[in-house]
């Protein structure tokens, strides 16, 4: 009875160890781009497309949602309003929409359009 319980515990520990080792190997293959099912990384130009799409949208975003430093030069500046919070929220929302769009296989222009829609532009 005790020996059977010890065998079960040892086999459980061994199974978890082997599973962790397999997961680590799979992760390393995905990082190197060698895993056959690395669909997450299928778009090898994602980073460049993402950077380009964000740069295209950034000028409009900065005009509509200025940070606190740039907002004080505009007419209707309200010192009690936290412009940086709305600026960072707009960046977060638009970049998430751009990333989702590019991961779905859309082109840069479509990603920019969806990023703009996410923050209420256009």
């Amino acid at each position: 009875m005790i020996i059977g319980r010890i065998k079960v515990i040892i086999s459980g520990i061994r199974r978890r160890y082997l599973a962790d080792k397999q997961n680590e190997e799979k992760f390393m293959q995905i990082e190197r781009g060698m895993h056959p099912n690395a669909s997450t990384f299928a778009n090898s130009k994602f980073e460049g497309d993402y950077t380009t799409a964000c740069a295209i949208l950034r000028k409009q975003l900065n005009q509509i949602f200025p940070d606190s430093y740039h907002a004080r030069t505009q007419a209707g500046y309200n010192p009690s309003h936290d412009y940086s919070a709305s600026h960072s929220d707009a960046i977060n929302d638009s970049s998430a929409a751009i990333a989702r769009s590019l991961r779905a296989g859309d082109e840069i222009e479509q990603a920019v359009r969806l990023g703009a829609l996410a923050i209420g532009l256009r």
Side-chain angles (χ1 to χ4, degrees):
M1 186 164 157
I2 294 175
I3 293 174
R5 180 70 179 148
I6 291 173
K7 285 181 181 180
V8 169
I9 291 172
I10 290 173
S11 68
I13 291 171
R14 185 169 182 258
R15 255 186 285 121
R16 283 190 299 272
Y17 172 77
L18 292 175
D20 287 346
K21 190 168 181 81
Q22 286 176 339
N23 287 338
E24 186 175 323
E25 288 173 12
K26 182 179 177 182
F27 174 75
M28 294 306 290
Q29 287 177 346
I30 289 172
E31 283 288 310
R32 291 186 203 109
M34 299 171 60
H35 193 270
N37 294 328
S39 61
T40 305
F41 301 96
N43 185 358
S44 61
K45 58 181 188 149
F46 172 80
E47 189 172 332
D49 288 352
Y50 175 79
T51 303
T52 302
C54 287
I56 292 170
L57 188 58
R58 185 170 296 125
K59 185 175 180 181
Q60 287 179 310
L61 187 139
N62 287 339
Q63 288 174 350
I64 305 298
F65 298 100
D67 61 5
S68 293
Y69 178 77
H70 292 99
R72 62 185 167 164
T73 61
Q74 295 182 344
Y77 171 69
N78 180 0
S80 64
H81 180 70
D82 186 8
Y83 290 93
S84 293
S86 58
H87 181 76
S88 63
D89 288 344
I91 290 173
N92 287 339
D93 294 344
S94 65
S95 65
I98 288 171
R100 274 193 310 270
S101 176
L102 291 173
R103 290 279 185 217
D106 293 338
E107 295 294 320
I108 294 174
E109 294 80 19
Q110 178 66 18
V112 171
R113 197 172 313 119
L114 291 174
L117 288 173
I119 57 174
L121 299 177
R122 294 186 194 172

